[in-house]
Amino acid sequence: MATTNSEPVLTKEYFLNLGPQHPSTHGVLRVLLKLDGEYIVEADPIIGYGHRGHEKMAENRTYKQFMPNPSRVDYLSGFLYNHGYVLAVEKLMGLEVPERAKYIRVICSELNRISSHLLWFGTFLMDLGAFTPFLYCFDDREVILDLLDYITGSRLTYCYCRIGGVAKDIDDQFIEGTLNFIKRLRSRWTDYHNLVTKNVIFIHRVKDIGIIDKNIALKYGVTGPNLRGCGVPYDVRKAEPYEIYEEVDFEIPVGEKGDIWDRYMVRLNEMEQSCRIIEQAIKKLPRGPVKASGVPVKIEPPKGEVYFPFESARGEAAFFIVSDGTEYPYRIRIRVPSFSNLQALTEVLPGTLVADTIAILGSIDIVVPEIDR
Amino acid sequence: MEHILSNELGRLIVGLIVVLIFSQLNALFLVWLERKVAGHIQLRIGPKEVGPYGLLQTIVDGLKLVGKELITPKRADRILFIIAPVLVFVPVLVPFIVLPFSKSLPLNDMNVGLLVIFSFSTINVLAILIGGWGSNNKYALLGAIRSVAQNIAYEIPLLLSVLSVVLMTKTLQMSKIVQAQGSYWFFLIQPIAALTYFICATAETNRAPFDIPEAESELVAGFHTEFSGMRFGLFFLAEYTNVFVVCAVATTLFLGGWQGPFGFSLGIPGIIWFLAKTYLLVFVIMWFRWTFPRLRFDQLISFSWKVLIPLALANLIITAGVIKLI
């Protein structure tokens, strides 16, 4: 019907619920998007769908009974959390751990970091629409899972560290497997770079997109590869070294602008650095016991509190434990990097396209159950 | 029997039945091929359980789709929602009437064959728009909008590149275009047109890296998010039939159709040559899908307007100039 009305066509902003069930929100994240056509006007991440109450659980369990929980907080870097929790309790108790145990823990931690980054690499590219790298990464990651399964008995939610050491010693088969894996991973870099890094479409999708600049990152407490991507060389392993990180030689890869490309390159370089750490740790691996003697069966740390930060695959994670002197912790608070990383999105997303939103969401590598705990 | 075949109407009816059967079998085969190709590219082996080499897998999947409930969302536009899958599938069958499988096998070798193919394949976008709009779902709507923008952007360079060939052969009749390539195939003298056509054809069929209307990581399933059962199946069949059609047209226009290289048929029948070339192109399109990430919506549009259209236009003008001079 033709009208002589010369009023402009009315366009309206509308809301789109991205999630909680959506193929690429990596868990049950819901992002409420206010859209103008395909452009984002406002983005509001809504969390809490995966809340399991790990912190509350801790208050009703002894220190030892809580051991299986940390690795379930972030199931992709389970070993790092398991490791972090044990370190926090040991610091609270003032316990000295045998050298060999420290080395074993670091080797396994770095393997876990690589597996987490590999999984990120695959899922991130799947968000960009490339399906194939996902299966290549899973093929590589499978080797790590098999190695850790052999030594810890589980594939994903590890509970291998013990207060005062590790559960059992590693053997030559594990060491040989790890060295072979590193060799294999290094031979894969050319494939990855030819398939992905040099791909024109990929470069166009990630360069200068989703810039988290230094100020925003520091304001929101963004840590890990996301912070290093914008040029801040902050890594807990260097800033407040724990275990043997002081004794091994490794670099902190940093980016420049903080766009998706920088975060991508930082993670890829980090995998190589982790390989270096593992190699050195294996070379230096001392002989001796793997568990401190004289650790009491009933663990009752002295009254007090401890905050222990460690570098998880996603950034600075920490355990804050308050002890009232009994065998039950009074309170355990877990600082999770994904929470802070996700909050920065509210500043980054407006003005981008729906397709970019997915790419940015993938690039900051969140694990939603970690946020909800 | 001979009487029926010599009769134009009888020939068409028999032809339509053959086309229906062929297009179904072809789509089933392509789905199987896609999964096998994807498997081997991804260090897997793909389907292998049902039938030899998993060949019956897609038939079983198809039967499953037929058995599924057809859900119509409460607030969807019922009429549009129901006709969309039909509208998407029927037009892709029409080009089979004029496709020159071999010297004697275009069902109807009409003198506007090329025009028929392109006018019917354009209806596809209307069906997608109707389906996306009718399902009353934001993801579907976004997918439909993207699809329209994409098709408008890519139809132009597609037709421009085809026009270059038409200028050279001075005909729209499929069989004559093939015969004009007796000694050399057109992709040798029209490489730019061939390349533009192939890129646009990939975009026309909504295949990766141009699969933004159904980008599963962004829009869940795009325009067919709400479709279930065989309605979804029809979208699926239409996509694969469409892939076959654009590759068959590419074979006809640029790869010498049913003829062997440089006029040597090597004793192989024309239909085999034709199908071999077509499936080779189909394989290339599948190869794209499992190798490339997806382009972003605005990059896709600007690639068409800023690169492909000027390129195709320049090619057309040069072709016209050269033909005039000769």
Side-chain angles (χ1 to χ4, degrees), chain A residues 317-336:
Chain A
F319 279 93
F320 178 61
I321 305 178
V322 180
S323 159
D324 55 1
T326 63
E327 61 177 320
Y328 294 90
Y330 179 73
R331 172 86 165 95
I332 288 186
R333 151 99 190 138
I334 310 166
R335 192 246 187 237
V336 288

Side-chain angles (χ1 to χ4, degrees), chain B residues 9 12 16 22 102 140 160 199 260 296:
Chain B
L9 187 69
L12 264 184
L16 272 178
F22 176 76
S102 74
L160 286 177
I199 293 173
R296 204 175 65 205

Side-chain angles (χ1 to χ4, degrees), chain A residues 84-357:
Chain A
Y85 169 70
V86 167
L87 284 169
V89 177
E90 280 162 4
K91 192 177 172 192
L92 193 61
M93 294 169 67
L95 201 67
E96 200 44 51
V97 182
E99 278 296 300
R100 189 175 170 86
K102 286 184 182 174
Y103 275 85
I104 295 172
R105 284 175 181 183
V106 167
I107 292 169
C108 294
S109 285
E110 294 306 319
L111 277 176
N112 194 188
R113 194 186 310 279
I114 295 174
S115 90
S116 176
H117 281 349
L118 276 176
L119 185 125
W120 165 82
F121 183 81
T123 50
F124 167 61
L125 282 157
M126 204 142 95
D127 289 346
L128 290 180
F131 195 83
T132 302
F134 178 74
L135 285 124
Y136 277 69
C137 292
F138 265 59
D139 191 34
D140 283 347
R141 181 171 172 267
E142 193 62 27
V143 183
I144 303 186
L145 296 192
D146 283 345
L147 279 171
L148 288 178
D149 180 27
Y150 173 68
I151 202 73
T152 69
S154 41
R155 280 165 57 86
L156 206 60
T157 48
Y158 314 103
C159 183
Y160 173 64
C161 296
R162 293 285 182 272
I163 296 167
V166 292
K168 64 172 185 146
D169 204 352
I170 56 172
D171 57 13
D172 290 341
Q173 197 185 330
F174 173 77
I175 291 173
E176 201 181 316
T178 310
L179 291 175
N180 283 341
F181 165 73
I182 290 173
K183 212 184 284 169
R184 172 197 161 118
L185 189 65
R186 282 186 176 144
S187 70
R188 282 293 195 118
W189 291 142
T190 29
D191 275 355
Y192 288 161
H193 287 305
N194 287 337
L195 196 61
V196 182
T197 319
K198 291 179 191 164
N199 188 310
V200 185
I201 300 176
F202 174 76
I203 294 171
H204 273 90
R205 285 296 305 272
V206 299
K207 276 251 163 114
D208 296 324
I209 308 283
I211 298 177
I212 302 179
D213 71 20
K214 235 181 237 182
N215 298 330
I216 298 178
L218 293 175
K219 186 169 133 198
Y220 281 90
V222 173
T223 47
N226 300 324
L227 179 66
R228 295 193 278 277
C230 53
V232 183
Y234 176 75
D235 187 320
V236 185
R237 289 175 294 174
K238 283 271 190 206
E240 296 172 54
Y242 50 97
E243 298 282 51
I244 55 149
Y245 285 116
E246 235 172 350
E247 293 155 38
V248 289
D249 174 38
F250 68 102
E251 284 152 28
I252 308 177
V254 285
E256 284 163 22
K257 276 182 290 192
D259 55 359
I260 301 180
W261 171 264
D262 280 341
R263 295 198 276 280
Y264 169 83
M265 287 316 282
V266 163
R267 286 205 179 84
L268 282 196
N269 292 334
E270 244 171 52
M271 282 194 250
E272 171 57 29
Q273 295 303 325
S274 290
C275 289
R276 279 182 63 199
I277 296 175
I278 295 171
E279 278 179 334
Q280 291 173 53
I282 285 179
K283 207 175 270 175
K284 288 185 184 174
L285 189 67
R287 299 202 162 275
V290 292
K291 213 170 171 188
S293 55
V295 182
V297 176
K298 197 175 172 186
I299 289 174
E300 285 176 326
K303 220 172 170 175
E305 55 185 55
V306 65
Y307 177 84
F308 192 90
F310 58 96
E311 187 74 19
S312 96
R314 266 150 277 282
E316 176 181 334
F319 279 93
F320 178 61
I321 305 178
V322 180
S323 159
D324 55 1
T326 63
E327 61 177 320
Y328 294 90
Y330 179 73
R331 172 86 165 95
I332 288 186
R333 151 99 190 138
I334 310 166
R335 192 246 187 237
V336 288
S338 290
F339 179 79
S340 318
N341 295 353
L342 181 69
Q343 300 312 315
L345 277 189
T346 47
E347 297 232 7
V348 178
L349 289 186
T352 59
L353 286 155
V354 174
D356 286 336
T357 304

Side-chain angles (χ1 to χ4, degrees), chain A residues 15 24 38 127-128 132 205, chain B residues 138 146 217-218 290 294:
Chain A
F15 287 98
S24 49
E38 282 226 19
D127 289 346
L128 290 180
T132 302
R205 285 296 305 272
Chain B
K138 282 166 188 167
R146 284 176 172 200
S217 61
E218 296 155 27
W290 300 108
R294 187 181 305 118

